[in-house]
Every structure is written in C-alpha cells, then in structure tokens.
Amino acid sequence: MTAHAKLSASGSEKWMTCTPSANLESQYPDEGSEFAREGTFAHAVFEQEMLSYLGRPVDPLPADLMHFDSQELRDHVATSVAYAIERIEDARAHCKDPVIMVERRLDFSLWVPEGFGTGDLVIVTDGSVEVMDLKYGKGIYVDPIKNSQLRLYGLGAFNELCHLYDIFRVRMTVLQPRLNNFGTEELPIEELLDWATYEVKPLAEMAWEGKGEFVAGDHCTSCFCKARYTCPARADQAIAVAQAEFGPIEDAKPPLPQSLSVERIAQLLPKADMVIDWFNDLKAYALEQATKHNNVVPGFKLVEGRSNRKYSDQDAVAAKLKAAGIPEEIMFERSLLGITAMEKAVGKKVFTEVLGELIVKPEGKPTLVPESDKRPALASAASAAEDFS
C-alpha cells in the first residue's frame, strides 16, 4: 500500500492556500476513483518500461489493475518514456556518469512536517538534478511553472542528494502525454531554497497545526479536497456570489442571457463554474449520504431512477430465437470495430501501415474557456461557425 503524507506535495496548492484544510480532510476517508486507479497503472507501466530500458530488475504489473491495460494507455506512456530517454541520453552526452533513479522517494521534511513524495524519474548530472513527474490525466493541464508539487519534488531531490553531489540547479519536468505537455521549470538552487524557507515552511507549519483561515477557490476541485462537499467557506463563497449577482437565493430569478450585455456576461462567466461545481458537489454528497449511510436530507427521499430494459442472458435469447426459426441476420447486427479496439486487435504497426491514410481526426466543437487556457484560440467566431456547422 502506498503511503500518503498529511501535507502531500500533490495537495500543496491546497494546503498552502487553505492551511486548515489538511486537518479538516483527516476526518474524511480517502477518495478513490477509476481515473486515479488508471493513473496508478500508468505509473506502474512507466516504471516497468524505464527499468527495462536501464537494464534493471522489473516487477510484474499490479494484477488488480490489469483491466486498465490497453494499447492507448501503452502508447501514451511510451510517449513519456521516449521523452524521458531523450533526457537521459542528453545527460549522458554532457556528463561522464549521470545517476538515474526510478521511483525515488524524496524527503522534503526540513520544510514540511513529515513531507515526502516520489519522483518518477530523477537524473543527476554535474551540478544539476532533474525530477520528472508523470501525469496521466487529461482533465486539468498541469503547468510546470511555479508548480508547488514539482518544486517540492525538486526540493526533495536536492535534500536527498546534495550530500553526495554538488547541485546548483534543479529542473522540474511534467510528463503529461495525453495533452502533449512536457514542460519544465528550471531554477537556481538558491531561488528554490528561498521559496522553501520563506513561503513553504511558514504555511506548512500553520497547516500542520490546523491554523489559519479557510479559503475557497479553484484548489477545492483541482486538488480534490475531501472536505469540499461540506466546507462552510466554499458554501459561503458560492451563496455570496449567487446572492450578489441574482438577489436573495430563495427568490432568485436571474435575467435571461439575451438581456445581459457582453461586458456583463464577461463579469459573470468566471464565477459560473465555481457556483455550479459547488452545487453539483453538494448534490453528490447528499446522494452518497442517503444511499450509503441512510442519512437522508430532510425534505428529500430516495426513489428509483429510470432504467432501460436488458437481456438477462444473451446466449439464451439467441438460442430461443434460433429455435423459433428467426434468421441470424435479423438477430445480429454487424459493425466495424472502433479505432481503439481495432488498433488493439490488429496491433499498432499493422494498424498504422494498413489504415494510416484512412484515419482522420475531426476538429473538436468550439468550447468557451478563459483566456488563461493553454489551447490556441480559434481564428474567429465566424470561421468557427462555418467549420462546425
């Protein structure tokens, strides 16, 4: 079982912003999801591939996660492995004997109580160390610049290795293959140590002791705070926004979108997701309490939702229809495998050689996002409407 730090590097944006959240979260069970488990499997594949490349002993992949194994996942991980190998070869070209470590435990407890993490790949060369962190998710773009998690990993790498090597610079690289994101931040060690001493350490001490003010924001969802469902600060923030914009929440009658100016919409849109996310989390929490803990919110009740009919036994259905003289061409439909399933069935090499020129990737439909989003803007609304009509 993987150990988790109370003040983890992955949650550092959260506990550095909302220092009491770490103590509050300790009252809630760990959240698990299929996305997290898939990410764990992707990390295991990455570790296996890197160790194999380095000629080191390789452990078998976790049996309980093998259902995540797919050609798509393997291809994405292979992209990260290829990038990592490029960095290793570059290190070997500039350093006589670089040190390469896979799945290295990194201790930054000098600045964060009991703080530690794991570097997926650590490369030590003359005067520098590079830490790489694999992110298999694609829902949130991971910006490596001023990224507290990556910086804590870099800090841990320096702390673990500075007594063995002269380290003057630290590189911190994210491997996010599903978004083609392989960004890096590089800092002189003095700058990283100043950040750790004057920014991280005071906040970590407050977080450890549960002191400070609760602060709601994007970190509630991006860092998957376990207390986000019932956090009063988040509730107050969402309700305050709704009341400020639309009047008392119990009598809220928001104006129709067409009655708002573009300027007014620009003011409202950045706040919309925060309010919607909070209400969705609130609904999800209430449903979980009712279904798993028999704790139904007053004024509500559990009812059976809609469902679709299905066969209890498809083989038995086919046998009965066949016995009744129904032709197979009526019973069954024939369709081509989807792209991912076809690639897995015939193999990536054959798939590329035989079908490469027949595979197209249509443009995605226009989506409205803040200007801070990393994706390039479409040329114009008119061209977007023409392209996607």
Side-chain angles (χ1 to χ4, degrees):
M1 180 179 293
T2 304
H4 296 280
K6 176 181 175 180
L7 301 184
S8 65
S10 59
S12 56
E13 179 189 353
K14 174 179 53 187
W15 56 255
M16 287 178 65
T17 305
C18 178
T19 51
S21 62
N23 270 8
L24 184 60
E25 281 192 285
S26 65
Q27 303 173 25
Y28 296 82
D30 286 335
E31 292 182 343
S33 71
E34 288 299 286
F35 298 114
R37 286 185 280 273
E38 183 182 38
T40 298
F41 182 77
H43 275 80
V45 174
F46 178 82
E47 179 184 7
Q48 192 179 68
E49 293 294 324
M50 291 309 306
L51 290 173
S52 178
Y53 163 75
L54 294 168
R56 298 174 187 173
V58 175
D59 292 329
L61 294 170
D64 61 326
L65 298 178
M66 287 304 297
H67 60 286
F68 290 114
D69 201 3
S70 68
Q71 190 61 50
E72 181 182 13
L73 183 145
R74 294 275 180 165
D75 289 345
H76 284 309
V77 173
T79 302
S80 294
V81 169
Y83 182 88
I85 289 175
E86 284 184 12
R87 294 297 306 145
I88 292 173
E89 294 303 321
D90 183 69
R92 287 172 172 167
H94 295 89
C95 178
K96 181 179 179 182
D97 190 21
V99 177
I100 315 296
M101 292 169 279
V102 180
E103 284 293 296
R104 171 76 180 202
R105 191 181 192 276
L106 305 173
D107 186 316
F108 45 86
S109 58
L110 280 177
W111 302 274
V112 178
E114 298 185 7
F116 69 90
T118 302
D120 296 323
L121 183 69
V122 179
I123 304 173
V124 186
T125 57
D126 294 333
S128 69
V129 60
E130 180 169 10
V131 180
M132 295 188 184
D133 186 42
L134 174 64
K135 298 291 188 185
Y136 189 68
K138 64 176 181 178
I140 299 174
Y141 178 90
V142 179
D143 191 342
I145 306 302
K146 296 183 178 179
N147 185 302
S148 59
Q149 178 181 8
L150 292 177
R151 286 189 174 191
L152 287 174
Y153 284 165
L155 198 63
F158 171 77
N159 183 49
E160 291 276 354
L161 303 168
C162 64
H163 62 289
L164 298 176
Y165 309 96
D166 291 328
I167 297 174
F168 305 106
R169 300 193 66 81
V170 180
R171 287 174 56 96
M172 296 144 291
T173 300
V174 61
L175 307 176
Q176 194 174 19
R178 296 168 79 186
L179 292 181
N180 195 32
N181 175 20
F182 300 94
T184 294
E185 180 180 50
E186 183 171 345
L187 296 176
I189 189 56
E190 294 83 5
E191 185 174 339
L192 186 62
L193 290 174
D194 282 349
W195 173 77
T197 301
Y198 300 112
E199 293 188 41
V200 177
K201 190 172 182 178
L203 293 171
E205 290 173 352
M206 291 176 63
W208 185 259
E209 297 173 4
K211 296 179 178 179
E213 298 291 332
F214 286 101
V215 177
D218 292 341
H219 54 276
C220 298
T221 50
S222 64
C223 296
F224 304 103
C225 178
K226 291 184 288 185
R228 67 188 181 276
Y229 306 103
T230 56
C231 174
R234 191 173 179 226
D236 289 345
Q237 182 191 57
I239 293 171
V241 168
Q243 289 180 331
E245 303 300 343
F246 306 120
I249 199 163
E250 61 271 15
D251 300 319
K253 293 181 180 179
L256 296 175
Q258 56 264 36
S259 69
L260 300 175
S261 67
V262 173
E263 291 75 18
R264 183 61 177 143
I265 292 174
Q267 294 174 340
L268 292 173
L269 277 179
K271 304 173 184 178
D273 285 342
M274 181 270 293
V275 178
I276 292 168
D277 287 346
W278 177 70
F279 274 114
N280 285 336
D281 281 342
L282 195 66
K283 290 169 63 178
Y285 180 77
L287 179 61
E288 181 186 40
Q289 288 294 304
T291 55
K292 295 183 179 180
H293 307 290
N294 197 31
N295 185 18
V296 182
V297 175
F300 289 80
K301 63 182 178 180
L302 282 175
V303 298
E304 183 177 340
R306 293 182 178 181
S307 65
N308 297 320
R309 296 179 300 169
K310 67 177 183 179
Y311 297 124
S312 61
D313 186 333
Q314 291 193 8
D315 292 337
V317 169
K320 282 184 174 290
L321 288 173
K322 188 174 182 181
I326 305 299
E328 287 194 359
E329 57 266 27
I330 293 178
M331 296 160 47
F332 298 99
E333 63 180 9
R334 185 179 179 187
S335 62
L336 200 63
L337 288 175
I339 288 179
T340 301
M342 184 69 77
E343 188 176 46
K344 186 174 182 179
V346 304
K348 184 176 178 63
K349 183 178 180 181
V350 172
F351 179 87
T352 303
E353 291 176 351
V354 176
L355 300 178
E357 63 183 17
L358 297 176
I359 305 301
V360 296
K361 191 176 187 300
E363 296 287 344
K365 290 184 178 181
T367 299
L368 197 62
V369 299
E371 288 186 341
S372 58
D373 192 280
K374 300 296 181 180
R375 287 167 290 185
L378 293 174
S380 69
S383 64
E386 182 179 334
D387 289 343
F388 299 106
S389 61

